[in-house]
Amino acid sequence: MPSFSYPLLARRRHWLGALATGLLAPVAGLSNTRAPITLRFSHVVTEDTPKGRAASRFKALVEARSGGRITVQVFPDGQLYGDHDEMQALQLGAVDMVAPSLSKFGRIGLPEFELFDLPFLFEDLSDVRRVTLGALGQRLFNGLKRQGLVGLGFFDNGFKQMSANRPLLAPADFVGLRMRVQASRVIADQMRALGARPVTLAFSETRRALATGVVDGTENPASNFWTQGMHQVQSDLSLTNHGYLGYAVVTNQRFWEHLQVGDRQLINQALQEALDDARQIADAQNNAALAALRQSNTTRIHSLSPSQRARLQQAVQPVHQALARRIGPDWFQALQDALAQPSA
């Protein structure tokens, strides 16, 4: 972790320590049917990303349908909490809703969510939906209760591309690079399998780390790469489509259970509509971002040939085997069963 992140993380940990004893008690007041409710929704990306737009849409729907009685406060771009502490903040009741990438569940004792991090697992989004909208997705959400959380919905940000200051088209191209990754054992193993050194950093710190040479490259959907200005500090983007980036909207179980049934229904319906919108715009935004990148002339765009993609896919097969050993073959069987189902 670079030194510039320590003061921010120290302050956030201090806040979380205070919140552990001070912020959960008021939740009980939500049982009053007509009492006003404030729902705090924190996320780590900008407002013009699919996640940011989904949060804004959710806020508008909830406040309109509740006549303003339920207020949604959206805190985008890591304003309150970043990658390293948003899940802890949710568990402690410091916020009421977050939309973390699926990678983040592994480090709170739910490694089965790292199935989504496996490289070259999904061919397209219809494969993803077979999992997230089916029985396996519900099984994954059921496991959240072990950590005091409730899963409300999945949504997509498309597929990730590799970036660095050189093309990344073959395993040899990765050798020696320091690649920023999320806090996911699977993604770290993926980079090692390709010959790179994984460096775990918060998303909000990534652009600065790229600009200052703390890391050499990273992986992102085109929309994140563009909206974070990474094209200004990375000369090459390789269209690998190697990994899926998805999110789960989750809430604090204690907060959720103290809401009246009607309020839960209103919030959940608004969220499902917002997530439907997010799924529809993710592809459009990634395509628009890629077009903007091409026009910017700041980053060279590289497409993989089928043989190049096959070589990368072969190089990361040990990552699949390692996860299967760690979480058990039953999860992999459930995954294969889900992928064999008709499109959701």
Side-chain angles (χ1 to χ4, degrees):
M1 180 69 63
S3 60
F4 56 78
S5 67
Y6 289 155
L8 177 59
L9 287 176
R11 289 197 299 272
R12 285 174 171 168
R13 286 168 182 158
H14 175 76
W15 296 336
L16 287 172
L19 287 164
T21 56
L23 281 187
L24 282 177
V27 172
L30 295 176
S31 61
N32 184 335
T33 304
R34 304 311 302 169
I37 297 168
T38 298
L39 191 160
R40 298 156 298 175
F41 190 160
S42 175
H43 66 81
V44 301
V45 297
T46 61
E47 293 177 287
D48 56 348
T49 58
K51 186 192 294 188
R53 289 180 61 177
S56 298
R57 174 68 171 157
F58 170 68
K59 170 183 171 68
L61 290 172
V62 168
E63 293 181 352
R65 292 174 182 176
S66 68
R69 184 175 60 85
I70 304 176
T71 302
V72 179
Q73 295 178 341
V74 178
F75 300 95
D77 211 15
Q79 289 177 5
L80 288 184
Y81 302 102
D83 279 326
H84 293 296
D85 48 18
E86 67 172 354
M87 294 292 279
Q88 186 182 7
L90 181 66
Q91 289 175 300
L92 294 174
V95 292
D96 307 306
M97 188 176 288
V98 297
S101 62
L102 298 172
S103 303
K104 294 179 185 173
F105 293 98
R107 68 188 189 202
I108 64 167
L110 297 162
E112 57 269 23
F113 275 84
E114 291 187 71
L115 286 166
F116 292 101
D117 290 338
L118 288 170
F120 300 103
L121 175 64
F122 301 115
E123 288 295 324
D124 52 37
L125 288 175
S126 65
D127 277 351
V128 175
R129 306 274 164 73
R130 290 181 177 94
V131 175
T132 57
L133 301 183
L136 181 53
Q138 187 57 56
R139 180 182 172 189
L140 288 164
F141 271 172
N142 290 342
L144 292 176
K145 296 174 184 177
R146 304 199 307 267
Q147 300 298 334
L149 304 175
V150 176
L152 300 178
F154 293 96
F155 68 109
D156 314 312
N157 198 7
F159 288 90
K160 295 182 286 187
Q161 321 301 338
M162 294 285 192
S163 71
N165 290 321
R166 66 193 192 205
L168 299 176
L169 305 176
D173 300 328
F174 289 82
V175 174
L177 293 182
R178 293 162 299 178
M179 298 291 287
R180 178 268 172 183
V181 297
Q182 298 170 273
S184 162
R185 186 169 172 177
V186 167
I187 297 177
D189 286 349
Q190 165 197 278
M191 293 303 184
R192 292 189 189 98
L194 292 169
R197 174 190 167 192
V199 179
T200 302
L201 288 176
F203 181 72
S204 59
E205 297 171 357
T206 301
R207 187 193 182 282
R208 182 177 175 181
L210 291 166
T212 57
V214 172
V215 294
D216 303 306
T218 187
E219 57 172 15
N220 270 297
S223 63
N224 282 0
F225 189 81
W226 173 253
T227 58
Q228 292 290 319
M230 294 181 193
H231 61 290
Q232 298 165 347
V233 293
Q234 294 273 265
S235 65
D236 294 85
L237 182 70
S238 301
L239 303 182
T240 50
N241 283 315
H242 64 281
Y244 166 73
L245 180 59
Y247 310 107
V249 179
V250 292
T251 187
N252 179 287
Q253 186 175 8
R254 189 167 183 267
F255 168 84
W256 190 248
E257 291 178 351
H258 277 84
L259 294 174
Q260 292 293 305
V261 172
D263 288 337
R264 288 202 299 265
Q265 291 174 340
L266 185 153
I267 290 169
N268 190 58
Q269 182 177 354
L271 180 65
Q272 299 313 315
E273 292 181 30
L275 296 187
D276 284 342
D277 289 346
R279 294 185 190 104
Q280 293 174 23
I281 66 174
D283 275 352
Q285 285 211 343
N286 280 317
N287 291 337
L290 188 57
L293 286 166
R294 294 186 189 281
Q295 293 177 357
S296 72
N297 293 320
T298 58
T299 302
R300 294 185 293 268
I301 310 296
H302 309 277
S303 297
L304 272 69
S305 69
S307 62
Q308 287 171 329
R309 181 177 173 85
R311 284 195 293 273
L312 291 177
Q313 188 170 4
Q314 181 61 36
V316 298
Q317 282 309 298
V319 181
H320 290 242
Q321 297 160 10
L323 183 62
R325 289 192 297 270
R326 186 151 52 90
I327 67 174
D330 59 318
W331 283 105
F332 269 71
Q333 185 59 55
L335 175 64
Q336 294 305 315
D337 292 344
L339 292 175
Q341 295 297 313
S343 296

